Amino acid sequence: MPPRTQRPLHQQLVVTLYGLYGGKTGGSFRVAALVAMLADLGIDEQAARSTVSRLKSKGILLSQRDDGVARYALSGDVLDIFDSDDKPIFAPERSKPGDPWSLVVFSVPEAERNRRYELRAELTSLGFGFVAAGVAIAPSTAMDQAMKRLAERGLDRYAEYFSGDYLKCGDIRGQVSQWWDLELLDRQYSDFIDSYEALARPWQERAQAGQPLSAADRLDAFRTYVPMLTLWRKFPYRDPNLPLEYLPAGWQAPRAKQAFLTLHGILRAPAEAHADDLLRSRGA
């Protein structure tokens, strides 16, 4: 498991488990199977069941009965988001200098200020920065998803959408650092590197040896892969994928991405094999 500073929330792990392995069981897990998978990720039974209960109360997990056995399925809306995110997770599109910018200009009445918070949170999660209080900016590649997401959330009635060029003279790198918290994002990439980069070499050595992995090896792969993927999923959206020319020297994203892709290529199959064994043993 990664260090404590890099451990994803229990609820995030549950969503990842459904996204990765729910299709093997018709989209739902027996409670015992879900608890067992979480146990293999270092979460005790009481905490696991508490997490399931919270997700059920939020409508993220939906309860089902199968021959009297309790099962839970992931909400279709959440699963759709997980599935649609695959391309940006593995191949985010980086913009180029001179590409147009996307602008979302929004205004929310004071009486609905909770909706203003929701709108800003959605835009932030899609990689937008903020030029001013009601003006969000991102590369043009972000606009289609932003329009779709705000419409789905009932937030597009507060927003107008524009595409344009930046015309002010000077070094745009200084402006970009004001619109996005690049220092925070770079630290998060560095944390990811600290947690996972060093793990790549021993797994590469195992893979190059060409020897079958033991059950313990597959469990180790599962324990590493699921949290790693869960943590990585946030980056392609928090990161606006600006041109490298606009970013600070020593930007950590390419190095972090290489660590992720290396481990993903090695760990995905043995982690899945462990999950398959566990689900079969639990009749899931």
Side-chain angles (χ1 to χ4, degrees), residues 212-245:
L213 296 179
S214 67
D217 291 332
R218 294 194 295 272
L219 171 58
D220 192 15
F222 179 83
R223 286 175 170 169
T224 302
Y225 181 68
V226 174
M228 181 191 71
L229 179 62
T230 304
L231 289 167
W232 185 257
R233 292 184 66 80
K234 67 185 180 183
F235 286 115
Y237 295 95
R238 294 182 182 178
D239 187 337
N241 284 301
L242 298 168
L244 292 175
E245 294 86 345

Side-chain angles (χ1 to χ4, degrees), residues 16 27 99 127 132 174 197 230 235 240 254:
T16 298
D99 283 354
E197 188 176 59
T230 304
F235 286 115

Side-chain angles (χ1 to χ4, degrees), residues 118-267:
E118 291 178 39
L119 200 157
R120 286 183 61 92
E122 289 291 347
L123 290 172
T124 299
S125 74
L126 293 170
F128 278 76
F130 293 89
V131 177
V135 182
I137 188 169
S140 58
T141 53
M143 183 60 92
D144 287 346
Q145 188 175 19
M147 294 175 68
K148 179 180 177 182
R149 181 79 64 85
L150 295 187
E152 290 172 346
R153 302 294 188 271
L155 295 167
D156 60 335
R157 62 193 177 100
Y158 305 109
E160 301 294 342
Y161 308 106
F162 301 90
S163 176
D165 299 321
Y166 181 72
L167 302 178
K168 188 175 181 179
C169 296
D171 184 8
I172 194 172
R173 181 180 294 186
Q175 297 298 109
V176 163
S177 66
Q178 297 180 41
W179 300 338
W180 285 272
D181 190 346
L182 297 179
E183 289 186 9
L184 174 60
L185 185 57
D186 204 47
R187 287 198 302 272
Q188 292 171 341
Y189 274 126
S190 294
D191 288 345
F192 186 90
I193 291 168
D194 291 344
S195 294
Y196 290 106
E197 188 176 59
L199 297 180
R201 182 179 295 276
W203 278 107
Q204 284 176 314
E205 290 174 351
R206 293 189 202 186
Q208 290 167 359
Q211 298 177 348
L213 296 179
S214 67
D217 291 332
R218 294 194 295 272
L219 171 58
D220 192 15
F222 179 83
R223 286 175 170 169
T224 302
Y225 181 68
V226 174
M228 181 191 71
L229 179 62
T230 304
L231 289 167
W232 185 257
R233 292 184 66 80
K234 67 185 180 183
F235 286 115
Y237 295 95
R238 294 182 182 178
D239 187 337
N241 284 301
L242 298 168
L244 292 175
E245 294 86 345
Y246 296 173
L247 296 167
W251 182 244
Q252 294 294 300
R255 182 177 166 187
K257 181 181 178 182
Q258 185 57 55
F260 166 73
L261 291 176
T262 297
L263 284 169
H264 167 73
I266 297 170
L267 299 180

Side-chain angles (χ1 to χ4, degrees), residues 1 10 13 34-52 54:
M1 291 289 286
H10 296 176
L13 289 170
L34 185 54
V35 168
M37 284 191 289
L38 291 172
D40 282 348
L41 296 174
I43 301 170
D44 64 44
E45 181 174 353
Q46 181 177 355
R49 291 186 180 275
S50 177
T51 297
V52 170
R54 286 196 298 273

